[in-house]
Amino acid sequence: MDKPLLQKLTLALPLLLAAGTWLPGAVERASANFFTDAYHNIQQFTDLPGEIDELKSSYQQSLEELDQVRADAELYRQQNEALAEQNRQLSLMVQQLQQAEDSRQRAEEARQQSAARIRTTAYTAAGLLAGYFILTRALRYGMRRTNRRA
C-alpha cells in the first residue's frame, strides 16, 4: 500500500470508531450487549465452581476406573501366571503319561515276544516228542519186519 493512504486510514480509524459509539442507535445496542455480556460472563463465572466440581468428580471417577482396570489387569496377570503354571504341570503329566504308555507298550511287546518264544518252544518240543515216538515206532516196525524174514 501507499504510505500516505496508510497514514490517512490510521487517522480515520479512531474517528470512525468514536463516531460509531456516539450514534444513538449504537450506544443503546452497545449498552444492552455490554450488560448482557457482563451478565453472561458473571453467570459463567458463577457456574465455574459447579463445572470444577463436575471435573473433579469426573477425574475421581476416572481415577477409580483406572484403579479398577489396574486391579483387573493384576488379577488377569495372576490368573495368567496360574494358568501358565498349570499348563506346565499338565505338560509334565502328559510327558510322564506318554513315557508310561511307551514303557507299557514295550513291556507288552516283550511279553508277546516271550509268549511267542514259549509257544514256539512248546510246539517244537511237542513236534520233537511226536517225531521221536513216530520214529521209534517206525524203527520197531521196520526191525520186526526184518526179523520175521530171517
Side-chain angles (χ1 to χ4, degrees):
M1 250 190 196
D2 197 8
K3 275 191 173 182
L5 181 61
L6 185 63
Q7 288 176 351
K8 288 180 187 176
L9 285 176
T10 309
L11 289 174
L13 187 62
L15 289 174
L16 288 174
L17 288 175
T21 56
W22 288 332
L23 292 174
V27 171
E28 291 174 5
R29 274 184 269 152
S31 63
N33 284 339
F34 173 75
F35 288 117
T36 306
D37 289 344
Y39 175 74
H40 286 300
N41 287 340
I42 290 171
Q43 188 178 14
Q44 287 178 350
F45 186 72
T46 57
D47 290 343
L48 282 178
E51 290 177 10
I52 289 174
D53 290 340
E54 287 177 21
L55 286 173
K56 283 182 180 179
S57 66
S58 174
Y59 178 73
Q60 287 298 332
Q61 184 180 2
S62 296
L63 283 178
E64 290 170 2
E65 289 175 1
L66 180 62
D67 289 340
Q68 182 64 36
V69 167
R70 284 181 180 164
D72 289 345
E74 180 65 22
L75 179 65
Y76 290 146
R77 186 190 61 77
Q78 290 173 354
Q79 287 177 347
N80 192 20
E81 287 177 359
L83 289 174
E85 178 63 24
Q86 186 179 9
N87 189 22
R88 187 186 64 78
Q89 289 175 353
L90 288 174
S91 295
L92 287 174
M93 187 182 299
V94 165
Q95 286 177 351
Q96 290 172 351
L97 288 174
Q98 285 176 343
Q99 289 173 352
E101 178 65 19
D102 290 344
S103 65
R104 188 197 63 78
Q105 285 178 350
R106 284 193 300 269
E108 179 67 22
E109 288 173 3
R111 187 190 64 77
Q112 287 176 354
Q113 288 176 352
S114 175
R117 269 189 251 126
I118 291 172
R119 273 195 307 272
T120 305
T121 304
Y123 292 150
T124 304
L128 287 175
L129 191 59
Y132 172 75
F133 284 117
I134 292 172
L135 183 64
T136 56
R137 295 286 177 203
L139 284 175
R140 281 184 186 174
Y141 178 74
M143 289 172 72
R144 279 187 192 163
R145 275 189 101 187
T146 55
N147 283 339
R148 278 190 200 164
R149 286 186 205 161

